[in-house]
Amino acid sequence: MTNTDLAVGRVAIVTGGSRGIGRAVARRLAADGLAVVVNYAGDDNAAAETVHAIIAAGGNATAVRADVADETAVAELFDRAETEYGGVDVVVNSAGRLALSPIAELDLDVLDRLHRVNIRGTFVVARQAAQRLRTGGAFVSFSTSVVGTRVPGYGAYVASKGAVEAITLILARELRGRGITVNTVAPGPTATELFLDGKTEEQVAALSKAPPLERLGTPEDIAGVIAFLTGPEGRWVNGQILRANGGLV
């Protein structure tokens, strides 16, 4: 699952990198010349497919399984990146869970599992990133544009992503003096397998018409935003929440 014969310059860790937006981010960063550590939670085949696609395109990648909410596993993930590639320059924390329910009917066990990944997981990954990113690095986390649109049924998910947004500027300020940027991307409706699952054609069509651009986003749209924020042209963007949603409020 690795190709270490290629020259290694900058190195990225992408959590949740085996599927959906995370996979698109991993592939885009690899195409831009970064060695990519593709983190995943449990789907070995999806992770292998992602790494194979990167290597087939001439990139450099390896897959490492780790639960983002497990501090020992995440420390070992960073250890692996440092051992294999020499350091870490970019961390993109795209791992997350989604659960929909009216607040009045919310299963608190579901809430705990959701917040374990989305809040604790973000803190665990951010903690390692803060300790280990090389000077001039970048950390990007993920929120959701539903924090602004406030769609019923998303209460638990939005609460978890509101926490992610809240720490963005704080972490940016805590890393003062190291040239490290910290930002959060909040996608709108994006055509991933997870997003489309369970929706009717009519629901998808309505969601597609909601943004002024009148389409769903693609994983590649979001990957392009990440490439900007973690690349040389995004160095003056720091401590920001970027709503990549085609113009939704």
Side-chain angles (χ1 to χ4, degrees), residues 10 12 54 69 77 79 108 111 116 128 157 160 164-165 173 175-176 179 199 207-208 210 219-220 235-236 248:
R10 297 176 75 219
I54 289 172
L77 168 65
D79 288 343
L108 295 182
L111 176 70
R116 181 180 182 275
Q128 286 294 323
Y157 183 63
S160 71
V164 173
E165 293 192 8
R173 288 173 170 171
L175 297 181
R176 173 185 292 272
K199 292 183 174 66
L207 289 164
S208 299
E220 290 71 27
R235 298 305 302 162
W236 193 234
L248 289 175

Side-chain angles (χ1 to χ4, degrees), residues 4-183:
T4 55
D5 295 331
L6 299 176
V8 176
R10 297 176 75 219
V11 180
I13 293 174
V14 180
T15 71
S18 65
R19 301 176 64 187
I21 292 174
R23 173 181 283 187
V25 170
R27 295 188 66 173
R28 173 59 187 268
L29 294 182
D32 287 349
L34 283 76
V36 179
V37 177
V38 177
N39 162 255
Y40 67 105
D43 191 335
D44 294 332
N45 290 333
E49 289 169 5
T50 302
V51 170
H52 175 75
I54 289 172
I55 293 174
N60 193 351
T62 190
V64 178
R65 184 172 181 167
D67 173 0
V68 293
D70 182 331
E71 63 269 33
T72 300
V74 172
E76 291 172 352
L77 168 65
F78 277 75
D79 288 343
R80 178 75 175 274
E82 291 175 344
T83 298
E84 189 140 352
Y85 296 118
V88 180
D89 302 283
V90 171
V91 175
V92 180
N93 186 43
S94 66
R97 292 179 70 102
L98 171 64
L100 303 180
S101 169
I103 291 170
E105 301 169 12
L106 181 61
D107 183 328
L108 295 182
D109 288 336
V110 171
L111 176 70
D112 288 343
R113 290 194 295 272
L114 179 76
H115 285 192
R116 181 180 182 275
V117 174
N118 293 0
I119 299 179
R120 178 184 169 88
T122 297
F123 270 89
V124 169
V125 174
R127 181 169 174 261
Q128 286 294 323
Q131 294 172 8
R132 305 226 210 173
L133 276 169
R134 293 190 282 209
T135 299
F139 177 78
V140 181
S141 56
F142 270 82
S143 179
T144 172
S145 285
V146 185
V147 171
T149 58
R150 303 177 182 92
V151 178
Y154 281 81
Y157 183 63
V158 165
S160 71
K161 293 304 187 178
V164 173
E165 293 192 8
I167 71 170
T168 301
L169 182 55
I170 292 173
L171 182 58
R173 288 173 170 171
E174 289 177 349
L175 297 181
R176 173 185 292 272
R178 292 173 55 190
I180 295 171
T181 61
V182 179
N183 295 288

Side-chain angles (χ1 to χ4, degrees), residues 192-248:
T192 63
E193 181 180 338
L194 177 64
F195 174 79
L196 296 173
D197 183 43
K199 292 183 174 66
T200 66
E201 290 185 10
E202 291 76 14
Q203 288 173 321
V204 172
L207 289 164
S208 299
K209 290 293 185 181
L213 295 181
E214 296 190 328
R215 68 173 177 86
L216 295 178
T218 68
E220 290 71 27
D221 287 328
I222 308 306
V225 174
I226 300 294
F228 166 73
L229 290 174
T230 60
E233 294 180 346
R235 298 305 302 162
W236 193 234
V237 183
N238 191 25
Q240 303 302 308
I241 313 300
L242 200 164
R243 304 211 182 283
N245 60 24
L248 289 175

